Amino acid sequence: MSKDQIINGNTILGIEFGSTRIKSILIDKDHNVIASGSHEWENDYIDGIWTYSEKNIMNGLKSSYADLKKDVMDRYGVPLKKLAGLGISAMMHGYLPFDKEMNLLVPFRTWRNTITGEAAGKLTEVFHFNMPQRWSLSHLYQAILNNEEHVKDIDFLTTLAGWIHYLLTGEKVLGVGDASGMMPIYPDTCDFDANMIASFDKLIADRQYPWKLRDILPKVLCAGENAGTLTAEGAKLLDPDGDLEPGCPLCPPEGDAGTGMAATNSVRERTGNVSAGTSIFSMIVLEKPLANVYPEIDIVTTPAGKPVAMVHCNSCTNEINAWVSIFREFADLMGLHTDVSDVFRKLFLLSREAEKDCGGLVTFNYLAGEPVTGVSEGRPMFVRSPDARFTLANFMRSQIYAAMETLKYGMEIIQHEAIAIDRVYGHGGLFKTEGVAQRDLAAAIHAPVTVMETAGEGGAWGIALLADYMVYHAEGESLEDYLDNHVFNGMKQSTVEPDPEDEKGFDLYMKRFVSCLPVQKAAGTEFKD
């Protein structure tokens, strides 16, 4: 059946540019993943900027698709030639300014950078709306404040997903969820806030640039809208062999937050999800606006344009990965062969034997700054008191706590606002070992956490679902209803209630974590390469 759908062009392709992997997946009409491909990559830290080079972006796109194409041939013995739909997703935010010829004016400044504090603070004041440092408009205004020469030449400003989508379709558009990470959205119009655009133009009027803000921003589209078709040039970019046919429709390009919501069926009011990979963030779909403006909480939208409270943290699993690598290196030194998946599983399971508060250990996984806790420049750090119980189990539990400690710090505000949450879904690599990080997250946020059998599929599956919705939804059928009725109906899932003792232990750990924040800040200031 899958082979016939591939031959007949009935499959949907989703591609997501994650922080450490570019993943491509192909789904059938029942939303099952029938083939996949990936390309591993890492960001570079050059001249104080976290970036990915244009060469690596293009090579990664081709490599991921080529790996998918090979998987299709290996599994089904047929080439991938025709698609029913396609969607592009990528890490949100950052700064990608282009000139009239679509030349990138400066290297990609990613979401991980915390270099726009002055701009973000001023925009928050002008808009009366929290403007995080990583948002595209904060980067643009900081470049203006820095008197950067390239600003006058900007003709188009977009995100990574928006750029790749343009290369495939020639359309300068963006899904509303991704657009909400560039600058604020006015929910009633599913578009950028016109009053804020006017305020920004007034703010920079004395600079006399040849552009107005609206002129350089992408057109905003909501889920279900057609965002263009794959051009011959776009098909050739994806598949240099020339097998892929142009002409399939593309859904609006989205950010990883929006695809995470789609992948966990968390697009309806009173639902939420936590995505845990290289970064970690929570998304809670709001019934009503927050009472105040909080620097720890971003207001973004679902792919359908509904307001969402987001707590975003720059670091999550990298430090765990680094320690697992060290443990495996030691095993190799001792002549022991280890399987990386098995090492992760055993260490995660061991963490459940640890003391609830990690026995006096505290871990900071800060590879970059964390605006949620006011840290401008991160330094991974492990701290323990002289009488702490330094066991492997306690150490691993502290590593898992570290992956979500900053998220917990921000989520406390949402809880104080008495925001109603019916369910929270966890997804991403942190939840692969059943019942471990899931239980710790439930303790962290004091709420039940559900993990679906598709929890490991992530954003590439989520953008494939959004493309599927565009192609197959009935007229007037909302994204929420489509996901409920056609994708997640009857799907296997497990829910864990927070354990009171785990909650007490994590809360005690957090007191130590907060007390160590001045040490983390000092390390970022004093400890330089």
Side-chain angles (χ1 to χ4, degrees), residues 18-47:
S19 301
T20 59
R21 182 173 59 164
I22 304 171
K23 186 173 182 180
S24 301
I25 68 164
L26 200 66
I27 66 172
D28 62 16
K29 284 187 173 183
D30 295 320
H31 315 105
N32 299 310
V33 177
I34 59 174
S36 65
S38 67
H39 172 83
E40 306 297 321
W41 69 342
E42 285 287 350
N43 52 196
D44 298 310
Y45 191 60
I46 301 174
D47 297 328

Side-chain angles (χ1 to χ4, degrees), residues 308-331:
V308 173
M310 178 183 192
V311 178
H312 183 281
C313 312
N314 288 337
S315 300
C316 184
T317 58
N318 289 80
E319 192 68 359
I320 295 175
N321 296 342
W323 279 104
V324 168
S325 179
I326 287 290
F327 293 147
R328 294 189 71 213
E329 187 177 344
F330 174 74

